[in-house]
Amino acid sequence: MAQARTAKEQDGLSPTLLRWLAVEPLTTGTILDVGTGSGRLALALAPRARRVLGLDVDAGALVEARRRARRAGVGNVLFVVADAEKVDYRSLGRPDCVVSHLCMSDAIVERAAAGLSRRGVLAFTAFHVDQWRETGRVSRFAYDEERARAVLAAAGFRVEKLEPERKVATFESDDAARRAAERFREKWEADDRWAGWERFVAEGGRTLTESRLVVLARRE
Ligand SMILES: C[S@@+](CC[C@H](N)C(=O)[O-])C[C@H]1O[C@@H](n2cnc3c(N)ncnc32)[C@H](O)[C@@H]1O
């Protein structure tokens, strides 16, 4: 039962990231999951780890993460409220692996570089600049391949794997396109994407792109 729940909680996590992490020896040290949210990635890795620490600035999300951990019978994960762009990762038990799923910034790369020892792993999925490109707005947290490589190299990481993960949905009509995006409406109205999406559809656009960048890098 606990296993079935853990598998379900992996739904929506990057399959590429999970595949790469599946062959990393994670069993002996501490894994730090930054921007853990409701703990999906932390809980997915817990069965293979000695200890996982999930960080998030959102205390409410961590209440849900702890509830999920209890429900799944996972005892080696701790969730802590902290700003991943400011906290010293060494003060959190010297992680030997820093992971993140959709919470990445240059400051987090720098914090990870300062907190990891040589050969320590930073593995993450970030929004790609093509994420929801049809809305005409790029998230300030999004990366393209070139910028990700540059930021990682400047911080002292050697990139071992870097791949985009992309899904482009195509719709038969403007109605179908609008219906598909309805679930994002509230968020897109709040972050000024909705008007751009409406314009795109009105001008004949019939696609919606989801795009992420998956990276595994090692501290030199
Ligand atoms: C898109 S959600 C991803 C959550 C989770 N990793 C997942 O994939 O389910 C981004 C998360 O990062 C958190 N976050 C954003 N900035 C942060 C920061 N500076 N330090 C810690 N957490 C942060 C947000 O509160 C949110 O829970």
Side-chain angles (χ1 to χ4, degrees):
M1 188 67 165
Q3 255 182 354
R5 285 201 177 117
T6 303
K8 190 164 182 291
E9 278 154 2
Q10 293 183 15
D11 288 354
L13 289 171
S14 156
T16 308
L17 183 67
L18 291 176
R19 203 175 60 246
W20 291 350
L21 288 172
V23 293
E24 277 297 317
L26 301 174
T27 48
T28 51
T30 296
I31 302 175
L32 192 61
D33 177 23
V34 303
T36 192
S38 58
R40 284 190 303 175
L41 183 56
L43 293 171
L45 298 177
R48 291 185 46 234
R50 186 178 66 82
R51 177 172 181 258
V52 186
L53 208 58
L55 294 192
D56 207 288
V57 280
D58 181 350
L62 296 187
V63 171
E64 170 63 9
R66 290 182 194 111
R67 194 177 60 79
R68 283 177 166 219
R70 268 197 307 278
R71 247 188 8 200
V74 173
N76 60 340
V77 182
L78 194 68
F79 293 106
V80 179
V81 178
D83 186 337
E85 296 190 325
K86 298 203 174 120
V87 73
D88 180 350
Y89 294 3
R90 284 167 302 192
S91 71
L92 300 169
R94 276 205 162 269
D96 39 24
C97 179
V98 176
V99 296
S100 175
H101 194 260
L102 304 180
C103 176
M104 191 40 61
S105 67
D106 295 2
I108 291 174
V109 172
E110 284 155 20
R111 296 279 86 209
L116 286 167
S117 309
R118 202 172 158 267
R119 311 268 320 138
V121 165
L122 171 63
F124 64 87
T125 300
F127 288 116
H128 190 278
V129 292
D130 285 342
Q131 170 79 359
W132 297 330
R133 60 188 304 173
E134 294 81 359
T135 65
R137 187 174 168 275
V138 177
S139 160
R140 71 188 176 93
F141 296 113
Y143 285 86
D144 62 21
E145 290 81 340
E146 199 182 332
R147 194 166 80 80
R149 282 187 190 282
V151 169
L152 287 158
F157 285 102
R158 183 165 46 81
V159 174
E160 291 189 356
K161 299 174 187 186
L162 183 147
E163 266 180 41
E165 242 177 14
R166 199 177 310 251
K167 223 166 41 189
V168 183
T170 304
F171 308 104
E172 286 181 350
S173 64
D174 57 342
D175 264 3
R178 288 199 177 90
R179 270 199 310 277
E182 196 54 41
R183 66 198 160 114
F184 301 123
R185 186 179 186 132
E186 198 179 326
K187 176 178 165 44
W188 286 2
E189 281 180 344
D191 66 11
D192 286 338
R193 282 191 166 99
W194 188 255
W197 166 249
E198 286 278 22
R199 208 172 314 118
F200 172 77
V201 175
E203 287 168 0
R206 298 289 181 265
T207 58
L208 183 57
T209 303
E210 282 181 34
S211 189
R212 297 164 180 190
L213 194 64
V214 193
V215 175
L216 190 141
R218 214 171 289 275
R219 187 81 174 84
E220 291 189 303

